[in-house]
Amino acid sequence: MNEFNRGFGAVDVRSMDTSVNVGLRTFMLGVYQKLALGIALSGGVAFLVGSGLVPGLTQLLLGTPLFYLFQFGPLALILGSAFLMRNPSPLATGILYWTIVVMLGVCLSIWVAMAAAQTGVTTRGGAALNVTFTTMTKAFLLTASAFGALSLFGYTTKTNLRPIGIIAVFALWGVVGISLLSFLFPPSGMFEVIVQVAVLGISGVLVAFQTQELKEGYFANEGNTRSLAVMTNWGALNFFIMFYNMFTILMSLLSRD
């Protein structure tokens, strides 16, 4: 659940003087601001639910089958919108973005709950995960640093990242498919690590690729307020999902004994 690309256009931004383009800069800042707000909201939801500040809410969302709605809901929404949103509007894409942000915030609350209770969990591959707030902080800082550097590279590079980006998209779905098939075979801790590292690396490539795609999309739709508003929501959604993937994987790797 990572790449939700809408094919923003075929304008070659390598030939554009993007360093002085105020419109592009404003557009990209809008995407990053929406991403930052999404991360803040998701973190707030995770802390509210996972910390037990409202016991009834925590029990409802984490102690009942309702949790599965939040666990699998984002993927269902993304796949469904790909078929249903033939002509997406700013309102519809905005609702989709904030809904997924809240849902994934509830999923993150599991980590907060484990850190608050100082309890661990054993993965299917047999690895013991001991989550602490210190580990979560380290994972967040590493994710933010890596994400920022990769996005900056995608924004400034003159290299066409489309070929490697397309390969990364197919590679991601391939890794997801292989990981699902692995449930048919005996669990392996080494295989878990390999899959996580692969997804982490692919997500990094997609951050740079998606940044360049947003630049191309801006020049293809420059002056079209409605299209740029929709692109802002799609861009923030793509970025948020990649950030979420990178953060949870790093948190899992750092929490392994």
Side-chain angles (χ1 to χ4, degrees):
M1 186 175 61
N2 199 295
E3 177 64 12
F4 198 63
N5 185 15
R6 284 288 175 170
F8 292 132
V11 177
D12 188 355
V13 298
R14 291 170 293 166
S15 63
M16 300 288 183
D17 187 5
T18 59
S19 62
V20 295
N21 192 301
V22 177
L24 173 63
R25 192 175 306 165
T26 302
F27 167 71
M28 293 301 296
L29 284 176
V31 176
Y32 292 129
Q33 287 172 358
K34 179 157 284 190
L35 169 65
L37 289 173
I39 292 173
L41 176 59
S42 183
V45 170
F47 183 79
L48 176 65
V49 176
S51 64
L53 290 176
V54 185
L57 180 64
T58 302
Q59 176 60 31
L60 175 64
L61 297 182
L62 301 185
T64 69
L66 184 62
F67 177 75
Y68 294 105
L69 173 64
F70 294 92
Q71 187 174 26
F72 298 105
L75 179 60
L77 287 175
I78 289 174
L79 294 177
S81 61
F83 293 99
L84 299 177
M85 288 189 182
R86 296 301 181 183
N87 186 26
S89 67
L91 177 61
T93 53
I95 292 174
L96 177 67
Y97 174 69
W98 294 114
T99 300
I100 290 178
V101 163
V102 171
M103 284 185 162
L104 292 181
V106 174
C107 293
L108 287 174
S109 66
I110 289 290
W111 297 88
V112 176
M114 287 191 294
Q118 297 183 340
T119 59
V121 66
T122 302
T123 67
R124 182 174 180 270
L129 303 183
N130 292 308
V131 185
T132 65
F133 288 112
T134 300
T135 301
M136 296 176 69
T137 302
K138 289 180 180 178
F140 179 82
L141 293 176
L142 285 172
T143 303
S145 300
F147 185 96
L150 290 164
S151 189
L152 179 62
F153 172 77
Y155 185 84
T156 58
T157 185
K158 301 299 182 181
T159 303
N160 182 11
L161 300 178
R162 183 179 294 272
I164 190 174
I166 293 175
I167 292 173
V169 172
F170 283 105
L172 177 64
W173 285 110
V175 172
V176 171
I178 292 173
S179 62
L180 291 176
L181 288 175
S182 69
F183 285 96
L184 301 176
F185 303 96
S188 168
M190 179 60 68
F191 181 78
E192 281 185 346
V193 173
I194 292 174
V195 169
Q196 288 179 324
V197 172
V199 173
L200 185 64
I202 293 171
S203 296
V205 172
L206 290 175
V207 170
F209 168 61
Q210 182 62 32
T211 302
Q212 191 175 84
E213 286 285 282
L214 283 171
K215 289 172 59 180
E216 292 187 3
Y218 171 80
F219 288 112
N221 296 278
E222 190 172 9
N224 188 329
T225 305
R226 185 180 188 276
S227 294
L228 291 179
V230 170
M231 281 175 51
T232 298
N233 291 329
W234 287 138
L237 178 58
N238 274 325
F239 280 161
F240 181 82
I241 292 174
M242 286 181 272
F243 193 99
Y244 174 89
N245 285 345
M246 294 170 68
F247 172 64
T248 54
I249 289 173
L250 283 173
M251 191 158 48
S252 176
L253 292 174
L254 291 174
S255 300
R256 296 174 74 95
D257 287 339

PDB file of all heavy atoms in Angstrom, residues 8-18 157-162 212-213 215-220:
ATOM      1  N   PHE A   8       0.571  12.288 -13.671  1.00  0.00           N
ATOM      2  CA  PHE A   8       0.313  13.711 -13.674  1.00  0.00           C
ATOM      3  C   PHE A   8       0.687  14.426 -14.962  1.00  0.00           C
ATOM      4  O   PHE A   8       0.445  15.592 -15.113  1.00  0.00           O
ATOM      5  CB  PHE A   8       1.074  14.359 -12.515  1.00  0.00           C
ATOM      6  CG  PHE A   8       0.534  13.973 -11.185  1.00  0.00           C
ATOM      7  CD1 PHE A   8       1.382  13.562 -10.178  1.00  0.00           C
ATOM      8  CD2 PHE A   8      -0.835  13.991 -10.939  1.00  0.00           C
ATOM      9  CE1 PHE A   8       0.888  13.210  -8.936  1.00  0.00           C
ATOM     10  CE2 PHE A   8      -1.332  13.639  -9.707  1.00  0.00           C
ATOM     11  CZ  PHE A   8      -0.480  13.240  -8.711  1.00  0.00           C
ATOM     12  N   GLY A   9       1.306  13.773 -15.885  1.00  0.00           N
ATOM     13  CA  GLY A   9       1.633  14.465 -17.122  1.00  0.00           C
ATOM     14  C   GLY A   9       2.975  14.043 -17.651  1.00  0.00           C
ATOM     15  O   GLY A   9       3.695  13.272 -17.050  1.00  0.00           O
ATOM     16  N   ALA A  10       3.332  14.579 -18.785  1.00  0.00           N
ATOM     17  CA  ALA A  10       4.575  14.176 -19.434  1.00  0.00           C
ATOM     18  C   ALA A  10       5.475  15.371 -19.698  1.00  0.00           C
ATOM     19  O   ALA A  10       6.226  15.403 -20.651  1.00  0.00           O
ATOM     20  CB  ALA A  10       4.255  13.457 -20.739  1.00  0.00           C
ATOM     21  N   VAL A  11       5.396  16.400 -18.866  1.00  0.00           N
ATOM     22  CA  VAL A  11       6.249  17.562 -19.006  1.00  0.00           C
ATOM     23  C   VAL A  11       7.620  17.241 -18.415  1.00  0.00           C
ATOM     24  O   VAL A  11       7.719  16.745 -17.295  1.00  0.00           O
ATOM     25  CB  VAL A  11       5.644  18.792 -18.291  1.00  0.00           C
ATOM     26  CG1 VAL A  11       6.582  19.977 -18.391  1.00  0.00           C
ATOM     27  CG2 VAL A  11       4.289  19.125 -18.900  1.00  0.00           C
ATOM     28  N   ASP A  12       8.671  17.512 -19.152  1.00  0.00           N
ATOM     29  CA  ASP A  12      10.019  17.221 -18.679  1.00  0.00           C
ATOM     30  C   ASP A  12      10.501  18.372 -17.815  1.00  0.00           C
ATOM     31  O   ASP A  12      10.916  19.414 -18.314  1.00  0.00           O
ATOM     32  CB  ASP A  12      10.953  17.016 -19.869  1.00  0.00           C
ATOM     33  CG  ASP A  12      12.326  16.520 -19.446  1.00  0.00           C
ATOM     34  OD1 ASP A  12      12.550  16.430 -18.226  1.00  0.00           O
ATOM     35  OD2 ASP A  12      13.151  16.234 -20.329  1.00  0.00           O
ATOM     36  N   VAL A  13      10.455  18.177 -16.489  1.00  0.00           N
ATOM     37  CA  VAL A  13      10.841  19.249 -15.581  1.00  0.00           C
ATOM     38  C   VAL A  13      12.339  19.497 -15.590  1.00  0.00           C
ATOM     39  O   VAL A  13      12.805  20.511 -15.074  1.00  0.00           O
ATOM     40  CB  VAL A  13      10.395  18.939 -14.134  1.00  0.00           C
ATOM     41  CG1 VAL A  13       8.897  18.832 -14.062  1.00  0.00           C
ATOM     42  CG2 VAL A  13      11.049  17.668 -13.625  1.00  0.00           C
ATOM     43  N   ARG A  14      13.094  18.598 -16.183  1.00  0.00           N
ATOM     44  CA  ARG A  14      14.534  18.804 -16.229  1.00  0.00           C
ATOM     45  C   ARG A  14      14.895  20.012 -17.080  1.00  0.00           C
ATOM     46  O   ARG A  14      15.952  20.600 -16.942  1.00  0.00           O
ATOM     47  CB  ARG A  14      15.227  17.555 -16.779  1.00  0.00           C
ATOM     48  CG  ARG A  14      15.154  16.361 -15.836  1.00  0.00           C
ATOM     49  CD  ARG A  14      15.620  15.102 -16.508  1.00  0.00           C
ATOM     50  NE  ARG A  14      14.708  14.706 -17.571  1.00  0.00           N
ATOM     51  CZ  ARG A  14      15.009  13.796 -18.491  1.00  0.00           C
ATOM     52  NH1 ARG A  14      16.185  13.212 -18.490  1.00  0.00           N
ATOM     53  NH2 ARG A  14      14.128  13.473 -19.413  1.00  0.00           N
ATOM     54  N   SER A  15      13.997  20.383 -17.999  1.00  0.00           N
ATOM     55  CA  SER A  15      14.245  21.538 -18.857  1.00  0.00           C
ATOM     56  C   SER A  15      13.683  22.819 -18.272  1.00  0.00           C
ATOM     57  O   SER A  15      13.810  23.882 -18.858  1.00  0.00           O
ATOM     58  CB  SER A  15      13.630  21.294 -20.244  1.00  0.00           C
ATOM     59  OG  SER A  15      12.216  21.166 -20.137  1.00  0.00           O
ATOM     60  N   MET A  16      13.013  22.726 -17.090  1.00  0.00           N
ATOM     61  CA  MET A  16      12.410  23.895 -16.455  1.00  0.00           C
ATOM     62  C   MET A  16      13.364  24.504 -15.438  1.00  0.00           C
ATOM     63  O   MET A  16      14.117  23.795 -14.780  1.00  0.00           O
ATOM     64  CB  MET A  16      11.105  23.487 -15.750  1.00  0.00           C
ATOM     65  CG  MET A  16      10.058  22.888 -16.673  1.00  0.00           C
ATOM     66  SD  MET A  16       9.331  24.127 -17.739  1.00  0.00           S
ATOM     67  CE  MET A  16       8.108  23.129 -18.614  1.00  0.00           C
ATOM     68  N   ASP A  17      13.298  25.811 -15.290  1.00  0.00           N
ATOM     69  CA  ASP A  17      14.073  26.483 -14.256  1.00  0.00           C
ATOM     70  C   ASP A  17      13.232  26.528 -12.992  1.00  0.00           C
ATOM     71  O   ASP A  17      12.624  27.532 -12.652  1.00  0.00           O
ATOM     72  CB  ASP A  17      14.441  27.901 -14.715  1.00  0.00           C
ATOM     73  CG  ASP A  17      15.392  28.583 -13.730  1.00  0.00           C
ATOM     74  OD1 ASP A  17      15.819  27.904 -12.770  1.00  0.00           O
ATOM     75  OD2 ASP A  17      15.691  29.773 -13.906  1.00  0.00           O
ATOM     76  N   THR A  18      13.228  25.407 -12.269  1.00  0.00           N
ATOM     77  CA  THR A  18      12.342  25.283 -11.115  1.00  0.00           C
ATOM     78  C   THR A  18      12.836  26.064  -9.909  1.00  0.00           C
ATOM     79  O   THR A  18      12.083  26.275  -8.972  1.00  0.00           O
ATOM     80  CB  THR A  18      12.206  23.798 -10.723  1.00  0.00           C
ATOM     81  OG1 THR A  18      13.510  23.283 -10.424  1.00  0.00           O
ATOM     82  CG2 THR A  18      11.594  22.997 -11.853  1.00  0.00           C
ATOM     83  N   THR A 157      17.087  16.864  -8.647  1.00  0.00           N
ATOM     84  CA  THR A 157      17.828  16.098  -9.638  1.00  0.00           C
ATOM     85  C   THR A 157      17.370  16.404 -11.061  1.00  0.00           C
ATOM     86  O   THR A 157      16.188  16.679 -11.312  1.00  0.00           O
ATOM     87  CB  THR A 157      17.707  14.593  -9.377  1.00  0.00           C
ATOM     88  OG1 THR A 157      18.541  13.885 -10.314  1.00  0.00           O
ATOM     89  CG2 THR A 157      16.269  14.115  -9.551  1.00  0.00           C
ATOM     90  N   LYS A 158      18.314  16.365 -11.996  1.00  0.00           N
ATOM     91  CA  LYS A 158      18.005  16.527 -13.413  1.00  0.00           C
ATOM     92  C   LYS A 158      17.834  15.170 -14.101  1.00  0.00           C
ATOM     93  O   LYS A 158      17.497  15.095 -15.270  1.00  0.00           O
ATOM     94  CB  LYS A 158      19.126  17.310 -14.104  1.00  0.00           C
ATOM     95  CG  LYS A 158      19.367  18.708 -13.520  1.00  0.00           C
ATOM     96  CD  LYS A 158      18.135  19.581 -13.648  1.00  0.00           C
ATOM     97  CE  LYS A 158      18.417  20.988 -13.100  1.00  0.00           C
ATOM     98  NZ  LYS A 158      17.217  21.865 -13.192  1.00  0.00           N
ATOM     99  N   THR A 159      18.059  14.101 -13.352  1.00  0.00           N
ATOM    100  CA  THR A 159      17.920  12.750 -13.899  1.00  0.00           C
ATOM    101  C   THR A 159      16.452  12.356 -13.974  1.00  0.00           C
ATOM    102  O   THR A 159      15.679  12.631 -13.048  1.00  0.00           O
ATOM    103  CB  THR A 159      18.668  11.734 -13.017  1.00  0.00           C
ATOM    104  OG1 THR A 159      20.042  12.124 -12.909  1.00  0.00           O
ATOM    105  CG2 THR A 159      18.574  10.329 -13.595  1.00  0.00           C
ATOM    106  N   ASN A 160      16.068  11.726 -15.049  1.00  0.00           N
ATOM    107  CA  ASN A 160      14.704  11.244 -15.198  1.00  0.00           C
ATOM    108  C   ASN A 160      14.509   9.995 -14.333  1.00  0.00           C
ATOM    109  O   ASN A 160      15.091   8.942 -14.610  1.00  0.00           O
ATOM    110  CB  ASN A 160      14.412  10.928 -16.665  1.00  0.00           C
ATOM    111  CG  ASN A 160      12.980  10.464 -16.880  1.00  0.00           C
ATOM    112  OD1 ASN A 160      12.136  10.561 -15.990  1.00  0.00           O
ATOM    113  ND2 ASN A 160      12.698   9.959 -18.070  1.00  0.00           N
ATOM    114  N   LEU A 161      13.704  10.109 -13.279  1.00  0.00           N
ATOM    115  CA  LEU A 161      13.500   8.994 -12.354  1.00  0.00           C
ATOM    116  C   LEU A 161      12.342   8.087 -12.750  1.00  0.00           C
ATOM    117  O   LEU A 161      12.074   7.104 -12.053  1.00  0.00           O
ATOM    118  CB  LEU A 161      13.247   9.543 -10.939  1.00  0.00           C
ATOM    119  CG  LEU A 161      14.357  10.402 -10.331  1.00  0.00           C
ATOM    120  CD1 LEU A 161      13.939  10.897  -8.950  1.00  0.00           C
ATOM    121  CD2 LEU A 161      15.658   9.620 -10.243  1.00  0.00           C
ATOM    122  N   ARG A 162      11.660   8.410 -13.840  1.00  0.00           N
ATOM    123  CA  ARG A 162      10.479   7.617 -14.211  1.00  0.00           C
ATOM    124  C   ARG A 162      10.789   6.141 -14.436  1.00  0.00           C
ATOM    125  O   ARG A 162      10.065   5.279 -13.920  1.00  0.00           O
ATOM    126  CB  ARG A 162       9.810   8.211 -15.450  1.00  0.00           C
ATOM    127  CG  ARG A 162       8.529   7.490 -15.866  1.00  0.00           C
ATOM    128  CD  ARG A 162       7.902   8.160 -17.088  1.00  0.00           C
ATOM    129  NE  ARG A 162       7.438   9.490 -16.740  1.00  0.00           N
ATOM    130  CZ  ARG A 162       6.230   9.739 -16.243  1.00  0.00           C
ATOM    131  NH1 ARG A 162       5.396   8.735 -16.032  1.00  0.00           N
ATOM    132  NH2 ARG A 162       5.859  10.961 -15.984  1.00  0.00           N
ATOM    133  N   GLN A 212       9.388  14.044  -8.073  1.00  0.00           N
ATOM    134  CA  GLN A 212       9.591  14.471  -9.457  1.00  0.00           C
ATOM    135  C   GLN A 212       8.281  14.415 -10.247  1.00  0.00           C
ATOM    136  O   GLN A 212       7.998  15.292 -11.074  1.00  0.00           O
ATOM    137  CB  GLN A 212      10.651  13.613 -10.133  1.00  0.00           C
ATOM    138  CG  GLN A 212      11.105  14.146 -11.483  1.00  0.00           C
ATOM    139  CD  GLN A 212      12.244  13.343 -12.056  1.00  0.00           C
ATOM    140  OE1 GLN A 212      12.020  12.306 -12.691  1.00  0.00           O
ATOM    141  NE2 GLN A 212      13.479  13.809 -11.855  1.00  0.00           N
ATOM    142  N   GLU A 213       7.457  13.408  -9.976  1.00  0.00           N
ATOM    143  CA  GLU A 213       6.162  13.299 -10.649  1.00  0.00           C
ATOM    144  C   GLU A 213       5.257  14.487 -10.308  1.00  0.00           C
ATOM    145  O   GLU A 213       4.527  14.986 -11.162  1.00  0.00           O
ATOM    146  CB  GLU A 213       5.474  12.000 -10.240  1.00  0.00           C
ATOM    147  CG  GLU A 213       6.053  10.759 -10.866  1.00  0.00           C
ATOM    148  CD  GLU A 213       5.658  10.616 -12.320  1.00  0.00           C
ATOM    149  OE1 GLU A 213       4.521  10.207 -12.598  1.00  0.00           O
ATOM    150  OE2 GLU A 213       6.491  10.958 -13.188  1.00  0.00           O
ATOM    151  N   LYS A 215       6.253  17.494  -9.609  1.00  0.00           N
ATOM    152  CA  LYS A 215       6.756  18.630 -10.370  1.00  0.00           C
ATOM    153  C   LYS A 215       6.238  18.589 -11.803  1.00  0.00           C
ATOM    154  O   LYS A 215       5.787  19.598 -12.349  1.00  0.00           O
ATOM    155  CB  LYS A 215       8.287  18.627 -10.369  1.00  0.00           C
ATOM    156  CG  LYS A 215       8.915  18.983  -9.030  1.00  0.00           C
ATOM    157  CD  LYS A 215      10.413  18.772  -9.037  1.00  0.00           C
ATOM    158  CE  LYS A 215      11.109  19.595 -10.091  1.00  0.00           C
ATOM    159  NZ  LYS A 215      12.578  19.372 -10.078  1.00  0.00           N
ATOM    160  N   GLU A 216       6.293  17.423 -12.422  1.00  0.00           N
ATOM    161  CA  GLU A 216       5.789  17.280 -13.782  1.00  0.00           C
ATOM    162  C   GLU A 216       4.299  17.581 -13.831  1.00  0.00           C
ATOM    163  O   GLU A 216       3.803  18.227 -14.763  1.00  0.00           O
ATOM    164  CB  GLU A 216       6.057  15.866 -14.293  1.00  0.00           C
ATOM    165  CG  GLU A 216       7.517  15.553 -14.508  1.00  0.00           C
ATOM    166  CD  GLU A 216       7.729  14.210 -15.178  1.00  0.00           C
ATOM    167  OE1 GLU A 216       6.728  13.553 -15.523  1.00  0.00           O
ATOM    168  OE2 GLU A 216       8.891  13.817 -15.343  1.00  0.00           O
ATOM    169  N   GLY A 217       3.584  17.091 -12.822  1.00  0.00           N
ATOM    170  CA  GLY A 217       2.147  17.339 -12.768  1.00  0.00           C
ATOM    171  C   GLY A 217       1.825  18.812 -12.630  1.00  0.00           C
ATOM    172  O   GLY A 217       0.848  19.302 -13.217  1.00  0.00           O
ATOM    173  N   TYR A 218       2.637  19.518 -11.867  1.00  0.00           N
ATOM    174  CA  TYR A 218       2.382  20.955 -11.710  1.00  0.00           C
ATOM    175  C   TYR A 218       2.494  21.672 -13.047  1.00  0.00           C
ATOM    176  O   TYR A 218       1.617  22.465 -13.409  1.00  0.00           O
ATOM    177  CB  TYR A 218       3.373  21.571 -10.709  1.00  0.00           C
ATOM    178  CG  TYR A 218       3.283  23.072 -10.682  1.00  0.00           C
ATOM    179  CD1 TYR A 218       2.274  23.714  -9.963  1.00  0.00           C
ATOM    180  CD2 TYR A 218       4.170  23.859 -11.422  1.00  0.00           C
ATOM    181  CE1 TYR A 218       2.155  25.090  -9.975  1.00  0.00           C
ATOM    182  CE2 TYR A 218       4.063  25.232 -11.430  1.00  0.00           C
ATOM    183  CZ  TYR A 218       3.058  25.842 -10.705  1.00  0.00           C
ATOM    184  OH  TYR A 218       2.932  27.210 -10.729  1.00  0.00           O
ATOM    185  N   PHE A 219       3.555  21.407 -13.799  1.00  0.00           N
ATOM    186  CA  PHE A 219       3.737  22.097 -15.069  1.00  0.00           C
ATOM    187  C   PHE A 219       2.700  21.671 -16.100  1.00  0.00           C
ATOM    188  O   PHE A 219       2.328  22.456 -16.986  1.00  0.00           O
ATOM    189  CB  PHE A 219       5.149  21.862 -15.599  1.00  0.00           C
ATOM    190  CG  PHE A 219       6.198  22.604 -14.831  1.00  0.00           C
ATOM    191  CD1 PHE A 219       7.127  21.927 -14.060  1.00  0.00           C
ATOM    192  CD2 PHE A 219       6.242  23.987 -14.854  1.00  0.00           C
ATOM    193  CE1 PHE A 219       8.088  22.612 -13.335  1.00  0.00           C
ATOM    194  CE2 PHE A 219       7.198  24.689 -14.134  1.00  0.00           C
ATOM    195  CZ  PHE A 219       8.128  23.998 -13.372  1.00  0.00           C
ATOM    196  N   ALA A 220       2.219  20.427 -16.005  1.00  0.00           N
ATOM    197  CA  ALA A 220       1.192  19.966 -16.929  1.00  0.00           C
ATOM    198  C   ALA A 220      -0.166  20.600 -16.637  1.00  0.00           C
ATOM    199  O   ALA A 220      -1.006  20.719 -17.527  1.00  0.00           O
ATOM    200  CB  ALA A 220       1.077  18.444 -16.881  1.00  0.00           C
TER     201      ALA A 220
END
